[in-house]
Amino acid sequence: MVGIFIIGILMLVGAVSVVVVRQPVHSALALIGVTIGLAMIYLILQAEFLAVAQVIVYAGAIMVLFLFVVTLLTAGKEEMEAEDTLSGQRWAGIITGLVVGLGLAVVIATHSPVKLSTALSGSFGGLHDLGHQLWGPYFAMLAGVALMLLTGVIGVLVLNRPDQVNYKSRLDLPSGVSLVDAEQEGKK
Amino acid sequence: MRYLIPEVVVAGGALLALLAIVLVPKAKSLGSWIVLLALLAAGIDAATMWHVTASLFMSNTLAIDQYSILVTELVLLAGVSSLLLAWDADRFGDEFPVLLALSVLGMMALGAAANLMVIFIGIELLSLPLYILAASSRTQAGGEAALKYLLLGAFSSGILLFGMALLYGATSTLSFVAYPSITSANTWLLWPGLALVLVGISFKLAIVPFHMWVPDVYEGSPTPVTNLMAFGTKVGAAVILLRLLAFGFYTQDGSWGTLIGYLAVLTMIVGNLLALPQMSLKRLLGYSGIGHAGFLLVGIATHSVEGAEAMMFYLLPYGLAVMAVFGVLRLIEGNGDEVTVGDLKGMAYRRPWLAAVLIVGMLSFAGIPLTGGFVGKFFLLQAALFASQPGLAVGIVVGTLVGLFAYLRPLQTMFQRTEPSEKVQKVRWTVASVVVLTVAVVGTIGLGVYPEPFVHIVSHSADFYWLTGG
């Protein structure tokens, strides 16, 4: 129990610093701390495979991608803080978040969850058990998640498509200018 | 497995359309045809299994009963209407039908959900394609709409998941159909968990404290996508809220009924009040959609079979009116410019048919007799009175009255005379849009004049209380 609290505090510190530190690279490093903390929680919950996958996939692969993008995009640029248009909303948000978060934390810490009605099988958390669960009772959800990922892939393709003429931006073309005009305009 | 065929057909249609787009890039409307046929086939198949005995599938994660079948039909109607409204428009991109089918699949999953995890996956599967579709017109407003929707949606999904984790801690199961039989739940974890889940679903349904995103997103998205958001998303979020609360938390109705009641009254009145000063028609419809979410909540708050029936009934006239109004909007907006109330000036003389359709839709929104909206509001009022909750009834009446003003203002503008010299933009009628408008108008008036058959269907579907958590 104490271990979970320590890991939780470490993860919270990491998560807060992802948001508040000024350098994007530091944010990415803080995010690695969060994912590793999550992996440790998986370990405590006997989900060894998930813990390993978490470290390999998130800390290993995805964070490296993040760091690549961050270094490529923001090299030598000063980060500007966006102006706060609604005065006081930041403080209101922080205070509300703290009150709700602390309230939930106290409730969860003082009231332990109910015990599972059926005992876990000996192989719980292993690769075999995970596979049996995913391809057995939870197959519908696995299929749903697969379709969600497919949607994500389509989304990247759609939103990054180079501008074709038939996707004309309404802001650039005054009304009455036909697509053909715009195309010829572009060729000149 | 027989009972999951509609879902499989829709998913298969989406994948097949994706393949067709890649393999036959020349055939522009092939993807749309495939998805249209898949949606229609799924609808017909779902209709043939109407007399199914309600039961749980896939180790108690999916419940197939008359409730889920009716939801399937409603969201398929939403999907088909959006697809038809976007039929001639190649500016939404080839993948529009694919994303639409995936979103509809998410809504269907919500109707059949019997497990918290299915709710989450259904909501995400519904939302992710909508985030993309919102930006698919590639305008600045569209990008803003998509980004707002994405960020707030991700945030609310986080809250929803947190709530689900707490519910799991309180009950040690994710299958919410088993909740009524659990006696040893830890209520200290149960209530915060339920509250967080309610926040997450309220965001999708646009209940008043969580409604800020609606007008911007509706305004920025292409009209067919807005049609899907206004009709399909509302159906999905409302039905899962009803099943989760009225079935999963059946025994603890005292604690959430009052809360939902207050939210319902607040949403009805605030949504319709904010619709009053809107100049942009899409924003007006956005706020009106918020108001209608409040009406739907009334059915949940009464916590009775009558309330559930009234809510399920209300979904169809609301959706048909959405189809009518957005169909007209799609035709008069031409190349996608924003339509304001002022643009409607003189429409009743220039384009009497379109004006007539718009009038039917708006009057149904407002709840005027002889339209489906009136019957829907009547049933809700009845359910509120049967449950002896006069506050809800007063809320319905006040909300309807305020809404009436909001809807009559555009109608009044349509009858103002204009200068004859003003240029009239040509309307490009398409077969697809005519089909949508005809179905919407005939359905709206049909439900208003002769609601009997649909009442019969609804009374079967709302009878889901017997489902036992295995």
Side-chain angles (χ1 to χ4, degrees), chain B residues 448-469:
Chain B
V449 179
Y450 185 55
E452 220 87 347
F454 190 58
V455 171
H456 187 68
I457 292 175
V458 157
S459 65
H460 273 290
S461 78
D463 188 23
F464 57 80
Y465 287 93
W466 79 272
L467 250 187
T468 44

Side-chain angles (χ1 to χ4, degrees), chain B residues 261-329:
Chain B
Y262 280 118
L263 283 181
V265 173
L266 191 69
T267 310
M268 280 187 286
I269 294 175
V270 171
N272 282 317
L273 267 182
L274 288 175
L276 273 180
Q278 299 304 322
M279 286 317 291
S280 158
L281 259 186
K282 266 192 178 172
R283 286 187 86 85
L284 192 154
L285 292 172
Y287 282 113
S288 116
I290 297 170
H292 285 290
F295 288 113
L296 294 173
L297 271 196
V298 170
I300 302 174
T302 55
H303 193 258
S304 59
V305 181
E306 289 87 23
E309 284 173 5
M311 192 205 91
M312 290 304 286
F313 183 90
Y314 198 80
L315 286 173
L316 185 63
Y318 166 71
L320 288 173
V322 164
M323 278 164 59
V325 173
F326 281 106
V328 173
L329 212 58

Side-chain angles (χ1 to χ4, degrees), chain A residues 16-69:
Chain A
V16 170
S17 39
V18 170
V19 184
V20 296
V21 292
R22 307 198 63 86
Q23 288 274 349
V25 177
H26 294 170
S27 288
L29 290 176
L31 198 54
I32 293 182
V34 178
T35 51
I36 289 179
L38 194 57
M40 286 198 273
I41 287 186
Y42 285 145
L43 272 185
I44 293 175
L45 295 174
Q46 301 177 30
E48 286 90 7
F49 174 72
L50 268 190
V52 175
Q54 172 82 11
V55 172
I56 294 177
V57 175
Y58 282 90
I62 291 181
M63 287 321 297
V64 173
L65 266 184
F66 264 147
L67 285 175
F68 261 118
V69 174

Side-chain angles (χ1 to χ4, degrees), chain A residues 100-101 103-105 107-118 120 133 136-164 166-171 175-179, chain B residues 4 11 15 18 28 58-59 61-62 90-95 98-99 102 105 115 117-118 120-121 124-125 128-129 131-132 135-141 162 166 168-174 184-186 188-189 192-193 196 220 335-338:
Chain A
V100 174
L104 282 174
V107 166
I108 294 168
T110 50
H111 295 85
S112 56
V114 288
K115 292 268 184 300
L116 280 178
S117 46
T118 48
L120 293 176
Q133 295 283 331
Y138 295 110
F139 180 71
M141 299 183 202
L142 184 68
V145 171
L147 288 173
M148 264 162 61
L149 293 178
L150 178 72
T151 314
V153 175
I154 300 175
V156 171
L157 290 176
V158 172
L159 298 178
N160 280 330
R161 181 169 32 210
D163 259 318
Q164 293 162 5
N166 59 336
Y167 295 105
K168 66 157 187 169
S169 163
R170 264 187 266 144
L171 299 161
S175 62
V177 179
S178 74
L179 297 174
Chain B
L4 293 181
L15 297 178
L18 199 60
K28 276 286 174 203
M58 306 295 277
S59 49
T61 54
L62 295 173
D90 55 348
R91 66 194 179 93
F92 300 129
D94 299 330
E95 55 298 302
V98 178
L99 294 172
L102 289 173
L105 186 67
N115 185 300
M117 206 43 73
V118 178
F120 179 71
I121 292 178
E124 288 303 298
L125 193 55
L128 278 176
Y131 301 148
I132 304 166
S136 62
S137 63
R138 302 177 81 82
T139 57
Q140 198 175 19
F162 193 9
L166 289 183
Y168 181 69
T171 59
S172 84
T173 174
L174 283 169
S184 59
N186 183 341
W188 275 92
L189 296 179
L196 292 176
N335 219 0
D337 296 313
E338 194 189 326

Side-chain angles (χ1 to χ4, degrees), chain A residues 73-86:
Chain A
L73 286 185
T74 61
K77 278 186 198 157
E78 272 294 308
E79 277 299 303
M80 296 285 282
E81 184 87 355
E83 204 181 320
D84 198 355
T85 45
L86 279 171

Side-chain angles (χ1 to χ4, degrees), chain B residues 25-247:
Chain B
K26 286 227 178 84
K28 276 286 174 203
S29 57
L30 185 60
S32 300
W33 274 111
I34 293 175
V35 168
L36 179 68
L37 290 179
L39 295 183
L40 291 178
I44 293 170
D45 185 61
T48 57
M49 57 193 206
W50 174 251
H51 295 290
V52 61
T53 26
S55 39
L56 295 164
F57 290 89
M58 306 295 277
S59 49
N60 298 345
T61 54
L62 295 173
I64 304 292
D65 53 0
Q66 278 80 8
Y67 188 71
S68 78
I69 294 174
L70 181 62
V71 173
T72 301
E73 298 291 354
L74 285 173
V75 298
L76 286 176
L77 180 65
V80 169
S81 65
S82 289
L83 190 62
L84 289 180
L85 286 181
W87 195 263
D88 57 329
D90 55 348
R91 66 194 179 93
F92 300 129
D94 299 330
E95 55 298 302
F96 178 87
V98 178
L99 294 172
L100 180 130
L102 289 173
S103 186
V104 168
L105 186 67
M107 296 165 193
M108 290 163 74
L110 283 180
N115 185 300
L116 294 177
M117 206 43 73
V118 178
I119 299 183
F120 179 71
I121 292 178
I123 285 187
E124 288 303 298
L125 193 55
L126 172 170
S127 312
L128 278 176
L130 284 181
Y131 301 148
I132 304 166
L133 287 176
S136 62
S137 63
R138 302 177 81 82
T139 57
Q140 198 175 19
E144 185 190 331
L147 192 64
K148 270 185 186 159
Y149 199 17
L150 171 70
L151 289 179
L152 287 172
F155 208 70
S156 74
S157 293
I159 295 175
L160 184 71
L161 263 188
F162 193 9
M164 286 177 178
L166 289 183
L167 285 185
Y168 181 69
T171 59
S172 84
T173 174
L174 283 169
S175 177
F176 71 81
V177 286
Y179 284 1
S181 52
I182 288 178
T183 48
S184 59
N186 183 341
T187 48
W188 275 92
L189 296 179
L190 196 68
W191 298 129
L194 182 63
L196 292 176
V197 169
L198 283 185
V199 169
I201 300 180
S202 301
F203 170 84
K204 288 290 166 214
L205 193 54
I207 303 301
V208 150
F210 317 104
H211 67 287
M212 304 291 181
W213 56 278
V214 174
D216 291 339
V217 173
Y218 276 28
E219 193 183 19
S221 310
T223 307
V225 179
T226 321
N227 179 59
L228 187 64
M229 285 177 193
F231 187 177
T233 311
K234 274 233 156 110
V235 173
V239 295
I240 197 53
L241 196 60
L242 178 66
R243 177 110 87 175
L244 177 67
L245 288 177
F247 190 87

